[in-house]
Amino acid sequence: MTQRVFLLVGTRKGAFILESDGARRDWALRGPFCETWPTNHVVADPASGTIYAGGGNEWFGPAVWKSTDFGASWSHSSQGLAYEAGQTPVKAVWSLAVGAEGRLYAGVEPAGLFVSDDGGTNWSHVEALQQHPTRPEWNPGGAGLILHSLVLDPRDNGRIWVGISAAGVFATEDGGASWEPRNRGTRADFLPEGQNYPEFGQCVHCLVRAPGGGARLYQQNHCGMYRSDDGGRRWESIEEGLPSSFGFPAAVHPRDPDSLYLIPLNGDIKGRFMPGGNTAVWRTRDGGSSWQAGRAGLPQGDAYFNVLRQAMATDTLEPAGVYFGTNAGALYGSIDEGDTWTCLAPYLPTITSVETLVMER
């Protein structure tokens, strides 16, 4: 049995797909797809291989694109991706996640959650999140008021975590019927002194779940890097040893809950680029107690790009592959868990997301 490995790449000008075999030495690039719509997130259902791409803007409107033939053809729908009359219209889809039995979730701007049980053709609003009593006090981050992180628990269909800029982390244990903020221990340095640890209002940048049967989450925040071992009820800072507390993406190892990858930037008001102009992917193998920088094969000197919040991912192979894309349009990959890196595609549009799909044939 052979393997097909896909990199699913969202960009400002549509979706792209790179394909390789299990060796991951040579990659074929296809695209742009989705009629070059602004595409914020591209994901796949690992059971069926169906690919979904979410995006849009205030001119195009929101939509979720779908391909059942690995990108050869696409359809799209926005049926139901709308708030009630009188509310601020949905501008775009920012995040997607595939749950049990193909149930599909979409996070949108302004921040809200939608669900589809028919493969993305029709959508329903998960109203309880927007009806949370804190909702009138949610404020937008730099990219707007967006629900950009969608984390599902494969062991429990009712458990979902979301990351919203700049409202924080919220969680449900009952499939979306009720929600609670889970931000205890995360800072909001931009608030007045004495109000830096609020119940909500933190600017979460990326939220990911560790593999295995535990309740470990990792969070890259505007104000630090954090780990939670109880499903987000309490957060512990793990930024010591990093060159900066500021960054956007985080990616977990597919099998080791203690291994995590980050790309710190030089700070929120100092340009938001590689520290010192030198590119590095930082890795921990002990849950954030210590960090090591991987630089082999990455640009050193005069590297003034950044990496956006959904633009880093790992694959499920052994050893695990790690991939990231830059706002300058370069896509990099490592097939040895971050020890060495290769540029896979140098001239794509601004890369907004990177995800992986491994299929047996």
Side-chain angles (χ1 to χ4, degrees):
M1 184 174 292
T2 60
Q3 294 169 318
R4 300 177 71 184
V5 184
F6 299 89
L7 300 184
L8 312 175
V9 183
T11 80
R12 297 285 191 231
K13 299 180 180 180
F16 292 80
I17 297 175
L18 284 81
E19 182 175 353
S20 185
D21 58 17
R24 299 166 292 178
R25 298 288 183 182
D26 299 302
W27 295 87
L29 173 67
R30 294 182 283 126
F33 301 116
C34 306
E35 298 179 8
T36 67
W37 277 40
T39 305
N40 293 320
H41 201 197
V42 188
V43 302
D45 183 342
S48 66
T50 299
I51 299 172
Y52 299 98
N57 59 22
E58 55 264 41
W59 301 105
F60 290 86
V64 174
W65 297 75
K66 176 180 179 179
S67 176
T68 58
D69 50 18
F70 302 106
S73 61
W74 295 80
S75 60
H76 74 89
S77 176
S78 58
Q79 185 64 41
L81 278 171
Y83 295 136
E84 294 182 359
Q87 296 188 35
T88 302
V90 175
K91 294 182 180 180
V93 173
W94 269 84
S95 55
L96 296 168
V98 181
E101 300 179 353
R103 171 170 276 198
L104 187 62
Y105 294 90
V108 303
E109 177 191 8
L113 182 64
F114 288 79
V115 63
S116 173
D117 287 312
D118 59 6
T121 300
N122 294 283
W123 295 88
S124 300
H125 183 205
V126 182
E127 296 180 352
L129 179 59
Q130 278 216 331
Q131 293 171 353
H132 194 272
T134 63
R135 175 61 182 87
E137 298 178 68
W138 293 0
N139 291 306
L145 185 60
I146 56 175
L147 195 161
H148 53 69
S149 292
L150 264 171
V151 179
L152 311 182
D153 188 338
R155 304 162 304 156
D156 185 344
N157 295 338
R159 185 174 297 160
I160 305 169
W161 297 267
V162 299
I164 300 172
S165 293
V169 174
F170 287 77
T172 179
E173 304 280 341
D174 53 19
S178 62
W179 296 82
E180 65 176 11
R182 293 192 180 172
N183 301 292
R184 183 177 298 178
T186 56
R187 303 190 310 275
D189 294 339
F190 43 81
L191 293 179
E193 186 175 353
Q195 302 177 30
N196 302 127
Y197 288 89
E199 180 186 11
F200 65 96
Q202 289 86 342
C203 189
V204 55
H205 282 179
C206 183
L207 180 70
V208 292
R209 179 184 176 274
R216 176 173 291 181
L217 301 171
Y218 293 100
Q219 176 189 162
Q220 173 67 71
N221 194 284
H222 189 105
C223 305
M225 184 64 211
Y226 301 91
R227 187 188 76 216
S228 172
D229 293 323
D230 59 4
R233 291 176 176 85
R234 295 179 183 273
W235 294 92
E236 173 187 355
S237 173
I238 56 170
E239 63 199 59
E240 185 176 354
L242 292 169
S244 168
S245 62
F246 181 88
F248 285 100
V252 293
H253 189 280
R255 292 170 292 277
D256 181 7
D258 288 330
S259 291
L260 179 76
Y261 299 88
L262 294 179
I263 303 180
L265 302 179
N266 67 335
D268 60 342
I269 60 173
K270 296 181 179 180
R272 303 189 179 196
F273 51 74
M274 297 294 125
N278 300 311
T279 313
V281 177
W282 290 74
R283 176 179 61 194
T284 180
R285 287 175 167 160
D286 52 20
S289 295
S290 64
W291 297 91
Q292 302 80 39
R295 302 182 187 275
L298 295 175
Q300 301 302 300
D302 300 327
Y304 299 110
F305 53 75
N306 64 33
V307 180
L308 301 178
R309 70 182 80 243
Q310 296 181 116
M312 184 164 61
T314 58
D315 66 29
T316 58
L317 298 183
E318 178 65 53
V322 190
Y323 311 90
F324 72 91
T326 75
N327 69 332
L331 179 68
Y332 293 90
S334 169
I335 59 173
D336 53 16
E337 304 202 349
D339 288 341
T340 60
W341 295 86
T342 301
C343 184
L344 307 180
Y347 304 122
L348 296 177
T350 295
I351 295 173
T352 52
S353 73
V354 178
E355 298 287 357
T356 67
L357 171 66
V358 177
M359 299 292 291
E360 306 286 345
R361 64 177 177 182

